[in-house]
Amino acid sequence: MYILHGIPDWGSQVIRMALEELGAPYRFAEVDWQAGGLTTPDFLALNPFARIPVLETPDGTMFETAAILQYLSERHGQLAPPPGDTERAGFLVWFTFITNQLHPTTMTLVHPHRPGGEACRRPVAEATHTLLREQLAALERSAATGPWWLSPDHPSIASLYVLMLLRWIRAYPAYPDHSIPLANYPALRAMAEGLERRPAVRRVLQAEAITDAAPFSDPPPPASAETA
Amino acid sequence: MYVLHYSPDLSSLIVRLAMEEMGLPYRDILVDFDGGEHRGAAYRAINPTGLIPVLETPAGPVFETGAILLWLSETHGQLAPPPGDPDRAPFLKWLFFMANTLHADLRARAYATRYSGAAQPGDETEQAFVRAVEDRLLGHLDLLEALATDGWLWFSADRPSLLTLYAACILRWLRYFPGERPDWFRLARYPALQGILAELERRPAALRAAAREELGPTIFTDPTFG
């Protein structure tokens, strides 16, 4: 039994989707961040960086989204080409790209004050918006070559990870004009449309009280965003 | 035979150190970073992200430093607890911390003008950004120092791992940026990390890598930059 410490519609979502796809038993321990739940002594003992997700496992407590996903896929032998597989190298490349580049850039689009403080909030957001579109274009080219681990009909820890980030990129930018629709990224859009219909993904959406019709491929943008 | 596309003292150094420690045969090809060769069509045909390093392998080109390290270690069964080992979980946790959090902040510091969106290099926007990044890095390093005293085999002075090699390079590069606060980072504040770095740089593998890239004999504890 795993214990996932998380917050609905935050970064724990991809771990939850992976656990549901694996059919692994787990308990979701919701962190009440508004009441300071990320900085209690108990939580800091789990993750000194005061961040979710945290997963308690038979091999100890884990943090770092990608580390948790990698561990789950290795332990259950699912959701990624296994070590030794001919697709393993390509998979690791893009999985690392997602976690090392796409994820931090997306976080900055949503929280542009975090890297350098309030003083450079807007210029940081502008630079990030530009960089993020370049990264999405690179990922789109990779998805368009058709690997199963970035496809609509066969989930992987890479595609589930992208799925969550696509929602944030469209729905939660700090500046509404930075919301990025998927019109220019057809392979990623098809992937999101396929995955968001999966029963495991629907279970997570229901548990997190997300009722959007297309929660990942086309979630509602921030209030005053362009709809183009 | 592996082919490493590198530029001296960039992230390719971590991959070179790992391959030297594993004793793998490889050839290296210098990329003219200052001349922008990595942005050209020939390089992008191998690595579409245009970043250094890329490693050509029998399984195709592999890029993203963390991906290369994990793939090499899986393929050759070295420098990391293998999948299934009880130490695999904590090892992965700290490896991805290194790649995603520490390395990402180092990159933000290195390319502060671009990441801060500063109108002018060194303007007030960029200076505020740099101070924030540096303060965050120092917080991370305190936790890394604590990890180094926990006695894990994969983060100790007794033997190298992907994690110690990665950490050593990042600690080297933190000294590359004197900026407005030349003393913002001093290795002596972190004795356990300093001990790991001192052992690592004395190893034949590190000495070979340092010689090839002309970085001097104390690449981690007392780096000099050309």
Side-chain angles (χ1 to χ4, degrees):
Chain A
M1 167 76 91
Y2 298 108
I3 301 173
L4 172 63
H5 297 261
I7 300 167
D9 212 10
W10 282 38
S12 45
Q13 189 179 61
V14 60
I15 310 296
R16 205 169 186 176
M17 292 193 290
L19 288 164
E20 288 286 347
E21 287 287 358
L22 292 169
Y26 71 98
R27 182 165 70 77
F28 186 76
E30 184 168 342
V31 177
D32 184 355
W33 63 277
Q34 284 170 311
L38 289 168
T39 51
T40 61
D42 283 352
F43 190 78
L44 289 173
L46 295 171
N47 183 355
F49 299 100
R51 292 195 294 221
I52 56 106
V54 165
L55 187 70
E56 295 187 61
T57 81
D59 295 313
T61 302
M62 294 194 72
F63 50 79
E64 283 286 342
T65 302
I68 297 171
L69 292 172
Q70 187 78 35
Y71 167 82
L72 287 174
S73 107
E74 286 179 2
R75 185 153 190 266
H76 295 268
Q78 289 181 60
L79 299 180
D85 189 285
T86 51
E87 291 197 56
R88 179 70 170 176
F91 165 79
L92 283 176
V93 164
W94 289 101
F95 181 71
T96 308
F97 175 86
I98 292 160
T99 186
N100 192 227
Q101 299 199 51
L102 195 66
H103 189 175
T105 316
T106 301
M107 286 298 281
T108 303
L109 195 78
V110 177
H111 306 289
H113 64 284
R114 283 195 186 163
E118 290 294 338
C120 34
R121 191 177 202 270
R122 179 74 200 189
V124 163
E126 292 288 341
T128 301
H129 183 236
T130 302
L131 182 60
L132 184 54
R133 281 175 299 165
E134 292 170 15
Q135 292 171 348
L136 284 172
L139 190 65
E140 167 70 18
R141 286 193 294 275
S142 178
T145 65
W148 72 256
W149 37 268
L150 285 179
S151 75
D153 42 27
H154 192 160
S156 77
I157 53 173
S159 58
L160 294 173
Y161 202 158
V162 174
L163 195 64
M164 176 181 75
L165 298 179
L166 291 177
R167 173 173 172 82
W168 300 354
I169 287 167
R170 180 60 169 148
Y172 299 132
Y175 295 98
D177 56 322
H178 288 163
S179 172
I180 303 175
L182 286 181
N184 293 328
Y185 311 101
L188 296 177
R189 187 174 61 185
M191 188 192 85
E193 286 169 349
L195 294 177
E196 72 193 357
R197 284 196 290 266
R198 297 182 60 80
V201 173
R202 305 303 307 181
R203 284 196 295 275
V204 174
L205 291 166
Q206 187 177 17
E208 304 203 339
I210 295 167
T211 56
D212 305 328
F216 299 104
S217 63
D218 191 24
S224 58
E226 300 286 330
T227 50
Chain B
M1 170 76 92
Y2 295 120
V3 181
L4 174 64
H5 296 257
Y6 83 106
S7 183
D9 218 7
L10 295 188
S11 297
S12 40
L13 177 62
I14 311 171
V15 177
R16 182 192 296 280
L17 286 160
M19 289 201 294
E20 290 286 350
E21 283 291 356
M22 294 184 191
L24 303 176
Y26 68 97
R27 190 160 64 80
D28 60 8
I29 294 179
L30 181 65
V31 182
D32 179 6
F33 183 70
D34 292 333
E37 187 184 346
H38 57 299
R39 290 193 292 267
Y43 189 82
R44 280 186 185 270
I46 307 170
N47 180 356
T49 68
L51 299 173
I52 294 170
V54 58
L55 185 70
E56 293 186 66
T57 80
V62 184
F63 47 92
E64 285 285 332
T65 304
I68 300 173
L69 295 176
L70 271 177
W71 186 82
L72 282 173
S73 136
E74 277 177 13
T75 303
H76 298 283
Q78 291 189 63
L79 295 182
D85 189 292
D87 270 12
R88 182 75 170 173
F91 170 81
L92 284 175
K93 170 168 87 171
W94 285 100
L95 183 71
F96 279 99
F97 160 79
M98 195 69 66
N100 290 352
T101 301
L102 209 57
H103 197 178
D105 272 337
L106 174 73
R107 202 181 296 130
R109 177 65 189 85
Y111 302 102
T113 306
R114 181 179 179 200
Y115 277 76
S116 69
Q120 298 291 330
D123 69 8
E124 276 184 35
T125 297
E126 182 175 331
Q127 286 182 33
F129 179 86
V130 164
R131 280 193 299 275
V133 173
E134 287 178 353
D135 289 344
R136 192 162 58 240
L137 278 164
L138 292 174
H140 296 337
L141 292 175
D142 288 340
L143 291 165
L144 204 60
E145 172 73 7
L147 180 71
T149 62
D150 282 349
W152 295 104
L153 277 179
W154 39 265
F155 203 60
S156 76
D158 298 334
R159 61 159 93 164
S161 75
L162 296 183
L163 198 65
T164 51
L165 294 171
Y166 208 146
C169 287
I170 287 183
L171 289 165
R172 166 183 171 84
W173 295 322
L174 288 178
R175 263 116 4 126
Y176 190 78
F177 307 103
E180 300 291 314
R181 298 191 293 181
D183 267 347
W184 75 277
F185 169 77
R186 290 187 304 108
L187 183 61
R189 271 197 58 203
Y190 310 95
L193 293 173
Q194 191 172 28
I196 290 176
L197 269 51
E199 283 301 319
L200 213 50
E201 73 185 2
R202 277 199 283 271
R203 296 177 59 85
L207 291 170
R208 282 195 301 273
R212 177 65 180 170
E213 301 198 5
E214 299 183 7
L215 305 177
T218 52
I219 54 171
F220 300 133
T221 59
D222 188 19
T224 52
F225 300 100

